[in-house]
Amino acid sequence: MTVSKMTWRPQYRSSKFRHVFGKAATKENCYDGVPITRSVHDNHFCAVNPRFIAVITECAGGGAFLVLSVHHTGKVDPLHPKVSGHRGNVLDIKWNPFNDFCIASCSEDSTVKVWDIPPHGVLKNLTVPWKELQGHSRRVGLIEWHPTANNVLFSTGYDYQVMIWNLDSPEAVIKNPVRTISHHTDVVLSMSFNTDGSRLATSCKDKKIRVLESRTGNLLQEANCKNHKASKVLFLGNLKMLLSTGSSRWNHRQVALWDQEDLDVPLLQEDLDGSSGVLFPFYDPDTHMLYIAGKGDGNIRYYEISSEKPYMHFLTEYHSHTPQKGMGIMPKRGLDVSSCEVFRFYKLVTIKALIEPLSMIVPRRSESYQDDIYPMTAASAAAMSAEEWLSGIDKGPVLQSLKPGSRVPDSYPELSSGLGSKGLGNSLGTRRSQSRPGQLQLAYIQDQLGNKEGKECRSKTSVSNGQDPTLCSPPKTENELRLKFHKQQEEIRRLREMLNQRDVRIKQLELEINNVRNSQGSH
C-alpha cells in the first residue's frame, strides 16, 4: 500500500507581530487630574518625547498647554504652571524631533510660537516664547516639523496657506516665511512627510489629497476620489504608498491605500464601521505596523502593511471601555526595549481627566535585546541644517540602534566627519544644538582619536589644571590608585561609545549606498 504525503499549508501569514497586545498602564502610572481641552478640533492635543509629555488644557482667557516630566505620574497639581503665551485657544503642539527641550504651538490667535522648556521642566508659568511666527491671517490649525532638517517648521491655517519657516533666522519675531504654498482651496486637515522630507502629503476639506514638493511647493499629484472623503493622510515610510482615513459616500468610516506616484485610483479601499469619529492613523516604519484609533472610540485596530497585494493584513484589536479624545506617541528612542515594547500611545481620556499610557508589546520569553524587532531607527540628530535643506539638498534620517549602550549619532554626520574647528562651530556651535541632551561632542572624539596608544594618561583635567600631560607618575596612595582606576574605567566606557557610534555610522552608510543603488536601478 502506498501512502501519499499531504503538504499542509497554514491559512495565515507568518508574522513576528501576529500576537502583539496592548498593555494599559496601572492607575499610579497614569497622569490624573489633567484639565484636557474641550476643543472640537480633530487634532491629537498631546505630544510626547522621552523627557516630557505636553497636553493642551482648558483654561480661561487665552490658550495654554501643560508640560510634565514623563516620570511625573499620579495626581497632577491643579495649579501646575503652564505654557500660556497665546491669546487664543491652542490648537496643536509638536516637539522638535532633534531637541527634547523645544516645542512649537499654534493657536486661534493666528500665530505659531516656539518655546524653550527649562531642563527641569516648567516651574513657573511660561509666557515668553523663543520664537514667534507671524504670517497667517487667520487661526493656525496644524504644525509639523521637517523630519530630517534642523529647525524647519511647517504650519497651515484657516487662510488655506501652508507656510515654511526657518527658525535659524536671528529675529525673535519672524514675520516672513521662507515660502508659502497656496494650492489648497479650503482648510488643510492633515500634513505628512515622506522619510527624507522631500514630499509633503496633505488632505483638505475640499476632499482632495495632494502630494507636493515640500521645498518648492510644486504640486506633483492630486487625488479627487468621489467615493472617499479623506480626513487624515499619512506617508507609509519607504513603501512609496499613502494611507488615508475618512468616510465613504454612505458615511461609513473608511481607509484607503494609494500609490504615491499615481493618485487616480486607490490601491485598496476598506470600510471599517458606521461610527462618526475621525480615524487617526499611526504608522511604524520599523515594524511596518499601522495603528488606527478612532476619536471617541475605546478600541485601536492594528494591521501589518506589505508592498504586495493585499497590502493590509489585519492583526487584531485592542479593546478598552474608556474613549480617547486624542493620542500622543512616544518616539521609538523612548520605548522600553527590555519588555519588547514596539509602540506607545498616550490616551487622552477626557471623562476621567486622565492620560493613560498604552504599550504595544511583542510577547517574547527571552529578556535579552531582540534585534529582529528593533531595526535601526530615526535618531534625535538632524541630518542637515535648515540652510542646507533650503539650498536644495535632501537627506534621509540619521539612524541609531536602540540597543542599550548605543550612542546617539551627531547631527550633520557627513559634514562632521571631515571638519576641523571651523566646521565644528557650524554644526555644533549653535545654541540649539548645544541644548540637545546626550550629544557626543565631535571635538572630544577627534581629540581622542588623535591620541597615541602610549599617552593614555593625558586627560582634559590634567591640562586644565596646568600640569604636564606627558608626566604620569604611578599612584602613591590608595586614594590616588582608586582615582586612576575610575579614570581608566571612564576612558574605556568612552572608547566603547565611540566604537558603537562608528558601527551605527557604518550601517547608516550601507543603507544610504543601497538606497542610491536602488534609485539608480529604477532609472
Side-chain angles (χ1 to χ4, degrees), residues 73 83 90 109 187 191 234 287 345 361 381 386 394 425 446 513:
T73 53
V83 182
V90 176
D109 64 11
V187 178
M191 296 189 289
L234 199 62
T287 60
F345 294 98
I361 293 171
D394 288 317
Q446 289 175 333
I513 289 167

PDB file of all heavy atoms in Angstrom, residues 73 83 90 109 187 191 234 287 345 361 381 386 394 425 446 513:
ATOM      1  N   THR A  73       4.097  60.923  37.138  1.00  0.00           N
ATOM      2  CA  THR A  73       2.811  60.228  37.074  1.00  0.00           C
ATOM      3  C   THR A  73       2.046  60.415  38.378  1.00  0.00           C
ATOM      4  O   THR A  73       2.568  60.960  39.352  1.00  0.00           O
ATOM      5  CB  THR A  73       3.027  58.736  36.793  1.00  0.00           C
ATOM      6  OG1 THR A  73       3.953  58.214  37.745  1.00  0.00           O
ATOM      7  CG2 THR A  73       3.593  58.519  35.397  1.00  0.00           C
ATOM      8  N   VAL A  83       2.374  76.616  30.036  1.00  0.00           N
ATOM      9  CA  VAL A  83       2.923  77.457  28.965  1.00  0.00           C
ATOM     10  C   VAL A  83       1.734  78.234  28.415  1.00  0.00           C
ATOM     11  O   VAL A  83       0.850  77.660  27.780  1.00  0.00           O
ATOM     12  CB  VAL A  83       3.589  76.606  27.868  1.00  0.00           C
ATOM     13  CG1 VAL A  83       4.196  77.499  26.793  1.00  0.00           C
ATOM     14  CG2 VAL A  83       4.663  75.705  28.479  1.00  0.00           C
ATOM     15  N   VAL A  90      -5.100  77.158  22.094  1.00  0.00           N
ATOM     16  CA  VAL A  90      -4.042  76.408  21.412  1.00  0.00           C
ATOM     17  C   VAL A  90      -4.691  75.234  20.674  1.00  0.00           C
ATOM     18  O   VAL A  90      -5.514  74.514  21.242  1.00  0.00           O
ATOM     19  CB  VAL A  90      -2.988  75.908  22.421  1.00  0.00           C
ATOM     20  CG1 VAL A  90      -1.940  75.052  21.723  1.00  0.00           C
ATOM     21  CG2 VAL A  90      -2.329  77.081  23.139  1.00  0.00           C
ATOM     22  N   ASP A 109      -5.079  82.570  17.790  1.00  0.00           N
ATOM     23  CA  ASP A 109      -4.645  83.981  17.666  1.00  0.00           C
ATOM     24  C   ASP A 109      -3.825  84.213  16.401  1.00  0.00           C
ATOM     25  O   ASP A 109      -3.203  85.256  16.235  1.00  0.00           O
ATOM     26  CB  ASP A 109      -3.883  84.425  18.909  1.00  0.00           C
ATOM     27  CG  ASP A 109      -2.571  83.651  19.123  1.00  0.00           C
ATOM     28  OD1 ASP A 109      -2.151  82.924  18.199  1.00  0.00           O
ATOM     29  OD2 ASP A 109      -1.983  83.776  20.211  1.00  0.00           O
ATOM     30  N   VAL A 187      -9.652  74.385   4.070  1.00  0.00           N
ATOM     31  CA  VAL A 187      -8.797  74.128   5.236  1.00  0.00           C
ATOM     32  C   VAL A 187      -8.037  72.807   5.061  1.00  0.00           C
ATOM     33  O   VAL A 187      -8.621  71.784   4.686  1.00  0.00           O
ATOM     34  CB  VAL A 187      -9.661  74.061   6.515  1.00  0.00           C
ATOM     35  CG1 VAL A 187      -8.799  73.755   7.731  1.00  0.00           C
ATOM     36  CG2 VAL A 187     -10.408  75.370   6.705  1.00  0.00           C
ATOM     37  N   MET A 191      -1.192  66.959   7.488  1.00  0.00           N
ATOM     38  CA  MET A 191       0.049  67.020   6.707  1.00  0.00           C
ATOM     39  C   MET A 191       0.932  65.847   7.113  1.00  0.00           C
ATOM     40  O   MET A 191       0.961  65.466   8.284  1.00  0.00           O
ATOM     41  CB  MET A 191       0.806  68.326   6.982  1.00  0.00           C
ATOM     42  CG  MET A 191       0.095  69.586   6.568  1.00  0.00           C
ATOM     43  SD  MET A 191       1.177  71.057   6.682  1.00  0.00           S
ATOM     44  CE  MET A 191       1.336  71.261   8.450  1.00  0.00           C
ATOM     45  N   LEU A 234      -1.312  59.923   5.392  1.00  0.00           N
ATOM     46  CA  LEU A 234      -0.059  59.512   6.010  1.00  0.00           C
ATOM     47  C   LEU A 234       0.833  58.843   4.972  1.00  0.00           C
ATOM     48  O   LEU A 234       0.368  57.988   4.217  1.00  0.00           O
ATOM     49  CB  LEU A 234      -0.388  58.505   7.129  1.00  0.00           C
ATOM     50  CG  LEU A 234       0.605  58.219   8.231  1.00  0.00           C
ATOM     51  CD1 LEU A 234       0.896  59.491   9.033  1.00  0.00           C
ATOM     52  CD2 LEU A 234       0.040  57.155   9.161  1.00  0.00           C
ATOM     53  N   THR A 287       8.509  48.431  11.986  1.00  0.00           N
ATOM     54  CA  THR A 287       7.819  47.136  12.044  1.00  0.00           C
ATOM     55  C   THR A 287       6.781  46.985  10.935  1.00  0.00           C
ATOM     56  O   THR A 287       6.177  45.923  10.798  1.00  0.00           O
ATOM     57  CB  THR A 287       7.098  46.979  13.398  1.00  0.00           C
ATOM     58  OG1 THR A 287       6.138  48.040  13.527  1.00  0.00           O
ATOM     59  CG2 THR A 287       8.075  47.057  14.559  1.00  0.00           C
ATOM     60  N   PHE A 345       1.265  54.547  23.045  1.00  0.00           N
ATOM     61  CA  PHE A 345       0.293  55.634  22.945  1.00  0.00           C
ATOM     62  C   PHE A 345       0.142  56.304  24.312  1.00  0.00           C
ATOM     63  O   PHE A 345       0.386  55.686  25.363  1.00  0.00           O
ATOM     64  CB  PHE A 345      -1.087  55.091  22.540  1.00  0.00           C
ATOM     65  CG  PHE A 345      -1.153  54.507  21.165  1.00  0.00           C
ATOM     66  CD1 PHE A 345      -1.063  53.134  20.964  1.00  0.00           C
ATOM     67  CD2 PHE A 345      -1.330  55.324  20.063  1.00  0.00           C
ATOM     68  CE1 PHE A 345      -1.141  52.591  19.695  1.00  0.00           C
ATOM     69  CE2 PHE A 345      -1.416  54.783  18.778  1.00  0.00           C
ATOM     70  CZ  PHE A 345      -1.319  53.424  18.602  1.00  0.00           C
ATOM     71  N   ILE A 361       3.090  45.516  22.874  1.00  0.00           N
ATOM     72  CA  ILE A 361       4.197  44.643  23.250  1.00  0.00           C
ATOM     73  C   ILE A 361       4.187  43.370  22.397  1.00  0.00           C
ATOM     74  O   ILE A 361       3.126  42.777  22.154  1.00  0.00           O
ATOM     75  CB  ILE A 361       4.110  44.284  24.750  1.00  0.00           C
ATOM     76  CG1 ILE A 361       4.356  45.560  25.570  1.00  0.00           C
ATOM     77  CG2 ILE A 361       5.106  43.204  25.128  1.00  0.00           C
ATOM     78  CD1 ILE A 361       4.092  45.390  27.053  1.00  0.00           C
ATOM     79  N   ALA A 381      19.008  63.225  16.050  1.00  0.00           N
ATOM     80  CA  ALA A 381      20.015  64.085  15.434  1.00  0.00           C
ATOM     81  C   ALA A 381      19.552  64.452  14.030  1.00  0.00           C
ATOM     82  O   ALA A 381      19.044  63.601  13.302  1.00  0.00           O
ATOM     83  CB  ALA A 381      21.365  63.360  15.375  1.00  0.00           C
ATOM     84  N   ALA A 386      18.969  73.758   8.329  1.00  0.00           N
ATOM     85  CA  ALA A 386      17.886  74.383   7.558  1.00  0.00           C
ATOM     86  C   ALA A 386      18.432  75.006   6.281  1.00  0.00           C
ATOM     87  O   ALA A 386      17.813  74.924   5.210  1.00  0.00           O
ATOM     88  CB  ALA A 386      17.192  75.443   8.418  1.00  0.00           C
ATOM     89  N   ASP A 394      18.465  66.989  -0.147  1.00  0.00           N
ATOM     90  CA  ASP A 394      17.588  66.073   0.587  1.00  0.00           C
ATOM     91  C   ASP A 394      18.434  64.954   1.172  1.00  0.00           C
ATOM     92  O   ASP A 394      19.290  64.386   0.482  1.00  0.00           O
ATOM     93  CB  ASP A 394      16.523  65.468  -0.332  1.00  0.00           C
ATOM     94  CG  ASP A 394      15.455  66.484  -0.725  1.00  0.00           C
ATOM     95  OD1 ASP A 394      15.016  67.243   0.160  1.00  0.00           O
ATOM     96  OD2 ASP A 394      15.081  66.529  -1.911  1.00  0.00           O
ATOM     97  N   GLY A 425      32.205  74.554  14.630  1.00  0.00           N
ATOM     98  CA  GLY A 425      31.417  75.725  15.013  1.00  0.00           C
ATOM     99  C   GLY A 425      30.125  75.792  14.231  1.00  0.00           C
ATOM    100  O   GLY A 425      29.084  76.163  14.756  1.00  0.00           O
ATOM    101  N   GLN A 446      37.535  63.715  18.155  1.00  0.00           N
ATOM    102  CA  GLN A 446      38.722  63.927  17.329  1.00  0.00           C
ATOM    103  C   GLN A 446      39.985  63.974  18.186  1.00  0.00           C
ATOM    104  O   GLN A 446      41.039  63.460  17.816  1.00  0.00           O
ATOM    105  CB  GLN A 446      38.555  65.222  16.526  1.00  0.00           C
ATOM    106  CG  GLN A 446      37.510  65.083  15.430  1.00  0.00           C
ATOM    107  CD  GLN A 446      37.258  66.393  14.712  1.00  0.00           C
ATOM    108  OE1 GLN A 446      37.444  67.459  15.279  1.00  0.00           O
ATOM    109  NE2 GLN A 446      36.821  66.305  13.479  1.00  0.00           N
ATOM    110  N   ILE A 513      23.998  53.671   0.667  1.00  0.00           N
ATOM    111  CA  ILE A 513      24.546  53.117  -0.580  1.00  0.00           C
ATOM    112  C   ILE A 513      23.486  52.254  -1.262  1.00  0.00           C
ATOM    113  O   ILE A 513      23.278  52.328  -2.474  1.00  0.00           O
ATOM    114  CB  ILE A 513      25.830  52.301  -0.295  1.00  0.00           C
ATOM    115  CG1 ILE A 513      26.982  53.260   0.084  1.00  0.00           C
ATOM    116  CG2 ILE A 513      26.228  51.459  -1.498  1.00  0.00           C
ATOM    117  CD1 ILE A 513      28.178  52.553   0.690  1.00  0.00           C
TER     118      ILE A 513
END
